[in-house]
Amino acid sequence: MSKNNSSTLSLRDKLIFLVLGIYFGIVISKSEAISWFRIQEMFRFHSFHMYGLLFSGVITAAISLKIIRSLGLKTINGEPAVLAPKDTTTWRNYLLGGTCFGIGWAFTGACPGPLYTLIGTGLTVMIVPLCFAFLGAWTYGYLKPRLPH
Amino acid sequence: MELLFSPWPWYVSGPLIGLTTPLLLLLGGRAFGVSSSLRHVCAAVYPRDIEYLRYDWRKDGLWLLIFAGGLVVGGWIGGQLFRAESSVAISGQTVNDLAHLGISDIQGLAPASLFSWSSLLSWPSLLLMTVGGFLIGFGTRWANGCTSGHGITGMANLQWPSLVAVCGFFAGGLLATHLLFPLIF
């Protein structure tokens, strides 16, 4: 999960994470990716908007990662800029957990990032689904030994 | 200034979304993915004796909780300070479909008839927010990622588990929209 072995974050690190969070929050609000209406439109295949966001986002990230890899770039802390590969020894959890999340995505019109962002936009009632998301994460931890992975 | 207030088209905001992955990797040394924050909060608040929640959340997760705080501020800037005047310009077909379900207030980012404090105690609203929220937390932790961790970062890094997860996201979303919504509303 973490590439950084130091256990405490420097003030600079904290500022970087705060600024990048603000950046992402602004972008997903202005893109309307946090709108329940846009999510409904996407699941009804009535517009290209959300698909355009996803595809151009993935392609931009993929090209960026390719450049980082081929230039052998390092992080500003001097560590190798490499993403840990996903666990490929399981697959059921990705499909079943993904399907559960998909239902939640359509119900609330939000993913985890948008839940936080929507609260900032003034839709404070999204504190309710966010608290239930914490409860869901806790319940997963409790049931994990008994769930298929 | 108009650029700040109007919504951004997908071909502008999509690449800006995608840039979050390399920026977070190069400037912070972290893999982009928001749903782990849900786990970190549980680990910080009430880990009990659950193995999944017993780890040093400050070391692994503090960065993401700061990032999540930034998301709230970003939402305030993008959605409140520079709030778009117009409502979300969704397709007329979607407007029709939603009207069939009895949802006709196409204003703001979400319908107030479903997502507001005053609607909270009505049946579809309560169901969508509580069950929907629960499934976001439960599902993303089971799948070990959400739209950012799998949908953007994992797919861009050509990880097949992320593709499986994204197929699940859409399977669940289509199931909810086309089979469950007609039963709920």
Side-chain angles (χ1 to χ4, degrees):
Chain A
M1 185 185 299
S2 161
K3 293 277 149 220
N4 191 339
N5 291 321
S6 60
S7 55
T8 50
L9 299 174
S10 68
L11 182 64
R12 190 197 63 185
D13 291 336
K14 287 178 184 166
L15 275 173
I16 286 172
F17 295 128
L18 182 69
V19 169
L20 286 178
I22 294 172
Y23 164 82
F24 191 67
I26 294 175
V27 173
I28 58 175
S29 355
K30 296 314 289 186
S31 74
E32 297 177 336
I34 59 171
S35 167
W36 187 89
F37 297 116
R38 284 289 186 199
I39 305 304
Q40 273 301 299
E41 188 186 51
M42 169 180 78
F43 284 135
R44 293 170 193 278
F45 303 105
H46 288 164
S47 161
F48 185 69
H49 183 83
M50 288 298 299
Y51 297 97
L53 281 180
L54 187 62
F55 288 132
S56 61
V58 170
I59 288 167
T60 306
I63 293 171
S64 309
L65 291 176
K66 180 98 184 139
I67 294 172
I68 290 171
R69 235 189 322 262
S70 49
L71 296 180
L73 295 184
K74 293 195 183 306
T75 71
I76 54 169
N77 285 329
E79 291 156 342
V82 191
L83 291 172
K86 307 277 180 194
D87 181 2
T88 53
T89 59
T90 64
W91 63 273
R92 289 177 195 87
N93 59 314
Y94 298 115
L95 192 62
L96 298 172
T99 305
C100 286
F101 162 56
I103 297 172
W105 191 9
F107 274 22
T108 61
C111 321
L115 279 180
Y116 297 107
T117 310
L118 279 165
I119 294 168
T121 68
L123 205 60
T124 52
V125 75
M126 297 312 274
I127 290 169
V128 175
L130 179 62
C131 288
F132 275 86
F134 293 138
L135 184 68
W138 194 91
T139 308
Y140 167 73
Y142 183 78
L143 295 177
K144 188 179 181 224
R146 273 164 279 172
L147 291 169
H149 281 82
Chain B
M1 280 308 270
E2 200 195 312
L3 198 75
L4 289 175
F5 284 93
S6 59
W8 299 348
W10 65 263
Y11 48 84
V12 173
S13 32
L16 292 177
I17 287 172
L19 279 179
T20 314
T21 297
L23 286 174
L24 206 49
L25 181 58
L26 290 174
L27 300 178
R30 308 295 157 125
F32 180 41
V34 181
S35 69
S36 306
S37 66
L38 304 171
R39 178 188 184 184
H40 300 318
V41 169
C42 294
V45 175
Y46 190 53
R48 237 182 60 171
D49 54 351
I50 296 169
E51 195 197 343
Y52 181 70
L53 299 176
R54 295 191 70 86
Y55 60 93
D56 186 351
W57 66 270
R58 277 188 192 82
K59 178 173 175 285
D60 290 345
L62 184 61
W63 77 270
L64 187 53
L65 299 184
I66 296 171
F67 185 88
L71 291 179
V72 179
V73 179
W76 178 77
I77 296 173
Q80 193 117 279
L81 193 61
F82 298 112
R83 181 190 291 272
E85 290 296 317
S86 52
S87 43
V88 179
I90 49 168
S91 112
Q93 280 173 289
T94 311
V95 175
N96 281 340
D97 280 13
L98 294 178
H100 273 287
L101 296 174
I103 301 159
S104 49
D105 51 332
I106 312 292
Q107 268 161 22
L109 292 166
S113 58
L114 293 173
F115 298 94
S116 61
W117 289 106
S118 53
S119 74
L120 188 57
L121 290 178
S122 66
W123 153 250
S125 174
L126 189 68
L127 177 86
L128 293 187
M129 279 196 266
T130 57
V131 176
F134 183 90
L135 288 174
I136 291 175
F138 187 82
T140 56
R141 290 298 75 220
W142 194 3
N144 200 22
C146 59
T147 346
S148 50
H150 281 311
I152 302 287
T153 309
M155 296 247 286
N157 203 27
L158 310 177
Q159 301 285 303
W160 68 257
S162 296
L163 185 62
V164 175
V166 171
C167 289
F169 299 168
F170 278 88
L174 293 174
L175 176 92
T177 301
H178 298 281
L179 295 176
L180 300 181
F181 272 22
L183 301 174
I184 294 169
F185 292 100

